[in-house]
Short mmCIF file of all heavy atoms in Angstrom, two decimals:
data_model
loop_
_atom_site.label_atom_id
_atom_site.label_comp_id
_atom_site.label_asym_id
_atom_site.label_seq_id
_atom_site.Cartn_x
_atom_site.Cartn_y
_atom_site.Cartn_z
N MET J 1626 -20.53 -4.10 -22.67
CA MET J 1626 -19.82 -2.82 -22.66
C MET J 1626 -20.08 -2.06 -23.95
O MET J 1626 -19.76 -0.88 -23.96
CB MET J 1626 -18.27 -3.16 -22.56
CG MET J 1626 -17.89 -4.09 -21.40
SD MET J 1626 -18.47 -3.50 -19.86
CE MET J 1626 -17.41 -2.10 -19.56
N LEU J 1627 -20.71 -2.63 -25.00
CA LEU J 1627 -20.85 -2.00 -26.24
C LEU J 1627 -21.69 -0.70 -26.19
O LEU J 1627 -21.32 0.31 -26.82
CB LEU J 1627 -21.46 -2.96 -27.26
CG LEU J 1627 -21.77 -2.40 -28.66
CD1 LEU J 1627 -20.40 -2.00 -29.30
CD2 LEU J 1627 -22.42 -3.47 -29.49
N PRO J 1628 -22.88 -0.68 -25.47
CA PRO J 1628 -23.65 0.58 -25.49
C PRO J 1628 -22.84 1.80 -24.98
O PRO J 1628 -22.94 2.85 -25.61
CB PRO J 1628 -24.76 0.26 -24.52
CG PRO J 1628 -24.92 -1.22 -24.55
CD PRO J 1628 -23.53 -1.75 -24.74
N LEU J 1629 -22.09 1.69 -23.91
CA LEU J 1629 -21.32 2.84 -23.48
C LEU J 1629 -20.19 3.18 -24.43
O LEU J 1629 -19.87 4.37 -24.57
CB LEU J 1629 -20.78 2.55 -22.06
CG LEU J 1629 -21.78 2.70 -20.88
CD1 LEU J 1629 -20.98 2.43 -19.51
CD2 LEU J 1629 -22.33 4.06 -20.83
N CYS J 1630 -19.58 2.19 -24.99
CA CYS J 1630 -18.49 2.42 -25.93
C CYS J 1630 -18.98 3.21 -27.19
O CYS J 1630 -18.36 4.16 -27.64
CB CYS J 1630 -17.87 1.12 -26.32
SG CYS J 1630 -16.38 1.27 -27.36
N ALA J 1631 -20.19 2.70 -27.68
CA ALA J 1631 -20.74 3.35 -28.94
C ALA J 1631 -21.18 4.80 -28.57
O ALA J 1631 -20.96 5.76 -29.37
CB ALA J 1631 -21.94 2.59 -29.43
N LEU J 1632 -21.80 5.00 -27.45
CA LEU J 1632 -22.19 6.36 -27.00
C LEU J 1632 -21.00 7.28 -26.91
O LEU J 1632 -21.01 8.45 -27.37
CB LEU J 1632 -22.99 6.26 -25.66
CG LEU J 1632 -23.24 7.66 -25.00
CD1 LEU J 1632 -24.17 8.49 -25.86
CD2 LEU J 1632 -23.82 7.42 -23.61
N SER J 1633 -19.92 6.73 -26.35
CA SER J 1633 -18.67 7.51 -26.18
C SER J 1633 -18.09 7.94 -27.53
O SER J 1633 -17.58 9.09 -27.70
CB SER J 1633 -17.63 6.79 -25.38
OG SER J 1633 -18.14 6.45 -24.07
N ALA J 1634 -18.14 7.05 -28.54
CA ALA J 1634 -17.58 7.32 -29.86
C ALA J 1634 -18.36 8.52 -30.51
O ALA J 1634 -17.80 9.40 -31.08
CB ALA J 1634 -17.60 6.14 -30.78
N VAL J 1635 -19.72 8.52 -30.32
CA VAL J 1635 -20.56 9.52 -30.97
C VAL J 1635 -20.22 10.89 -30.24
O VAL J 1635 -20.17 12.00 -30.83
CB VAL J 1635 -22.07 9.19 -30.81
CG1 VAL J 1635 -22.92 10.41 -31.12
CG2 VAL J 1635 -22.43 8.00 -31.58
N LEU J 1636 -20.06 10.85 -28.91
CA LEU J 1636 -19.82 12.05 -28.10
C LEU J 1636 -18.47 12.61 -28.45
O LEU J 1636 -18.24 13.87 -28.52
CB LEU J 1636 -19.96 11.77 -26.64
CG LEU J 1636 -21.33 11.59 -26.07
CD1 LEU J 1636 -21.25 11.22 -24.60
CD2 LEU J 1636 -22.19 12.90 -26.30
N LEU J 1637 -17.50 11.78 -28.69
CA LEU J 1637 -16.20 12.25 -29.11
C LEU J 1637 -16.24 13.03 -30.43
O LEU J 1637 -15.56 14.11 -30.53
CB LEU J 1637 -15.13 11.13 -29.21
CG LEU J 1637 -14.55 10.54 -27.90
CD1 LEU J 1637 -13.83 9.21 -28.13
CD2 LEU J 1637 -13.65 11.58 -27.26
N ILE J 1638 -16.96 12.55 -31.41
CA ILE J 1638 -17.09 13.22 -32.67
C ILE J 1638 -17.73 14.57 -32.41
O ILE J 1638 -17.32 15.59 -33.00
CB ILE J 1638 -17.91 12.34 -33.63
CG1 ILE J 1638 -17.19 11.09 -34.01
CG2 ILE J 1638 -18.27 13.15 -34.91
CD1 ILE J 1638 -17.94 10.14 -34.87
N CYS J 1639 -18.72 14.60 -31.56
CA CYS J 1639 -19.49 15.89 -31.31
C CYS J 1639 -18.52 16.84 -30.63
O CYS J 1639 -18.54 18.08 -30.98
CB CYS J 1639 -20.64 15.58 -30.36
SG CYS J 1639 -21.98 14.66 -31.24
N PHE J 1640 -17.68 16.41 -29.71
CA PHE J 1640 -16.76 17.33 -29.03
C PHE J 1640 -15.72 17.88 -29.95
O PHE J 1640 -15.43 19.02 -29.90
CB PHE J 1640 -16.05 16.48 -27.89
CG PHE J 1640 -16.72 16.57 -26.58
CD1 PHE J 1640 -18.01 16.14 -26.37
CD2 PHE J 1640 -16.11 17.10 -25.43
CE1 PHE J 1640 -18.68 16.21 -25.18
CE2 PHE J 1640 -16.76 17.17 -24.18
CZ PHE J 1640 -18.00 16.75 -24.04
N ILE J 1641 -15.24 17.04 -30.90
CA ILE J 1641 -14.26 17.54 -31.85
C ILE J 1641 -14.84 18.51 -32.81
O ILE J 1641 -14.23 19.60 -33.06
CB ILE J 1641 -13.64 16.34 -32.64
CG1 ILE J 1641 -12.85 15.38 -31.73
CG2 ILE J 1641 -12.78 16.79 -33.82
CD1 ILE J 1641 -12.36 14.09 -32.32
N LEU J 1642 -16.01 18.28 -33.23
CA LEU J 1642 -16.68 19.25 -34.12
C LEU J 1642 -17.02 20.56 -33.40
O LEU J 1642 -16.89 21.57 -33.97
CB LEU J 1642 -18.05 18.57 -34.72
CG LEU J 1642 -17.85 17.37 -35.63
CD1 LEU J 1642 -19.19 16.92 -36.08
CD2 LEU J 1642 -16.98 17.78 -36.78
N PHE J 1643 -17.44 20.49 -32.16
CA PHE J 1643 -17.68 21.63 -31.34
C PHE J 1643 -16.37 22.41 -31.12
O PHE J 1643 -16.34 23.64 -31.23
CB PHE J 1643 -18.26 21.27 -30.03
CG PHE J 1643 -18.49 22.48 -29.08
CD1 PHE J 1643 -19.57 23.33 -29.21
CD2 PHE J 1643 -17.65 22.71 -28.05
CE1 PHE J 1643 -19.72 24.42 -28.37
CE2 PHE J 1643 -17.78 23.74 -27.23
CZ PHE J 1643 -18.86 24.62 -27.39
N PHE J 1644 -15.31 21.71 -30.89
CA PHE J 1644 -13.98 22.34 -30.61
C PHE J 1644 -13.52 23.18 -31.77
O PHE J 1644 -12.96 24.25 -31.66
CB PHE J 1644 -12.98 21.19 -30.23
CG PHE J 1644 -11.61 21.80 -29.90
CD1 PHE J 1644 -11.45 22.71 -28.82
CD2 PHE J 1644 -10.53 21.41 -30.57
CE1 PHE J 1644 -10.22 23.22 -28.51
CE2 PHE J 1644 -9.26 21.85 -30.29
CZ PHE J 1644 -9.10 22.76 -29.29
N TYR J 1645 -13.77 22.65 -33.06
CA TYR J 1645 -13.27 23.33 -34.23
C TYR J 1645 -14.45 24.08 -34.94
O TYR J 1645 -14.48 24.31 -36.19
CB TYR J 1645 -12.63 22.41 -35.23
CG TYR J 1645 -11.27 21.88 -34.71
CD1 TYR J 1645 -11.26 20.54 -34.41
CD2 TYR J 1645 -10.16 22.69 -34.62
CE1 TYR J 1645 -9.99 20.02 -33.93
CE2 TYR J 1645 -8.98 22.18 -34.21
CZ TYR J 1645 -8.87 20.84 -33.86
OH TYR J 1645 -7.66 20.32 -33.44
N ARG J 1646 -15.49 24.43 -34.18
CA ARG J 1646 -16.67 24.97 -34.73
C ARG J 1646 -16.53 26.30 -35.47
O ARG J 1646 -17.26 26.60 -36.42
CB ARG J 1646 -17.78 25.14 -33.67
CG ARG J 1646 -17.40 26.15 -32.51
CD ARG J 1646 -18.32 26.13 -31.41
NE ARG J 1646 -18.00 27.15 -30.42
CZ ARG J 1646 -16.99 27.03 -29.52
NH1 ARG J 1646 -16.25 25.95 -29.49
NH2 ARG J 1646 -16.77 28.02 -28.61
N ARG J 1647 -15.49 27.07 -35.09
CA ARG J 1647 -15.27 28.31 -35.74
C ARG J 1647 -14.69 28.18 -37.14
O ARG J 1647 -14.86 29.01 -38.02
CB ARG J 1647 -14.31 29.17 -34.90
CG ARG J 1647 -14.89 29.66 -33.58
CD ARG J 1647 -13.93 30.46 -32.79
NE ARG J 1647 -14.50 30.92 -31.48
CZ ARG J 1647 -13.83 31.62 -30.67
NH1 ARG J 1647 -12.62 32.04 -30.89
NH2 ARG J 1647 -14.47 31.97 -29.52
N ASP J 1648 -14.06 27.06 -37.38
CA ASP J 1648 -13.50 26.77 -38.72
C ASP J 1648 -13.20 25.31 -38.77
O ASP J 1648 -12.08 24.82 -38.40
CB ASP J 1648 -12.20 27.67 -38.98
CG ASP J 1648 -11.68 27.47 -40.36
OD1 ASP J 1648 -12.35 26.75 -41.14
OD2 ASP J 1648 -10.61 28.09 -40.74
N LEU J 1649 -14.16 24.53 -39.35
CA LEU J 1649 -14.01 23.14 -39.50
C LEU J 1649 -12.83 22.81 -40.43
O LEU J 1649 -12.29 21.67 -40.51
CB LEU J 1649 -15.24 22.44 -39.92
CG LEU J 1649 -16.42 22.41 -38.87
CD1 LEU J 1649 -17.64 21.80 -39.47
CD2 LEU J 1649 -16.01 21.69 -37.52
N ARG J 1650 -12.43 23.79 -41.31
CA ARG J 1650 -11.39 23.55 -42.28
C ARG J 1650 -10.06 24.25 -41.85
O ARG J 1650 -9.23 24.53 -42.65
CB ARG J 1650 -11.79 24.02 -43.58
CG ARG J 1650 -12.99 23.30 -44.15
CD ARG J 1650 -13.32 23.74 -45.58
NE ARG J 1650 -14.41 22.96 -46.17
CZ ARG J 1650 -14.28 21.78 -46.77
NH1 ARG J 1650 -13.04 21.24 -46.81
NH2 ARG J 1650 -15.32 21.12 -47.22
N GLU J 1651 -9.95 24.44 -40.51
CA GLU J 1651 -8.68 24.94 -39.96
C GLU J 1651 -7.49 24.17 -40.53
O GLU J 1651 -7.32 22.97 -40.37
CB GLU J 1651 -8.67 24.86 -38.48
CG GLU J 1651 -7.40 25.17 -37.79
CD GLU J 1651 -7.13 26.66 -37.60
OE1 GLU J 1651 -8.06 27.41 -37.58
OE2 GLU J 1651 -5.97 27.09 -37.53
N PRO J 1652 -6.57 24.86 -41.33
CA PRO J 1652 -5.44 24.12 -41.90
C PRO J 1652 -4.48 23.65 -40.85
O PRO J 1652 -4.33 24.26 -39.73
CB PRO J 1652 -4.84 25.20 -42.79
CG PRO J 1652 -5.20 26.44 -42.14
CD PRO J 1652 -6.54 26.26 -41.59
#
Side-chain angles (χ1 to χ4, degrees):
M1626 307 307 288
L1627 181 60
L1629 282 181
C1630 187
L1632 172 63
S1633 300
V1635 172
L1636 288 175
L1637 280 169
I1638 294 173
C1639 293
F1640 269 60
I1641 292 171
L1642 294 178
F1643 176 80
F1644 181 58
Y1645 291 111
R1646 65 192 181 281
R1647 294 181 179 178
D1648 186 2
L1649 292 176
R1650 297 186 177 276
E1651 170 81 27

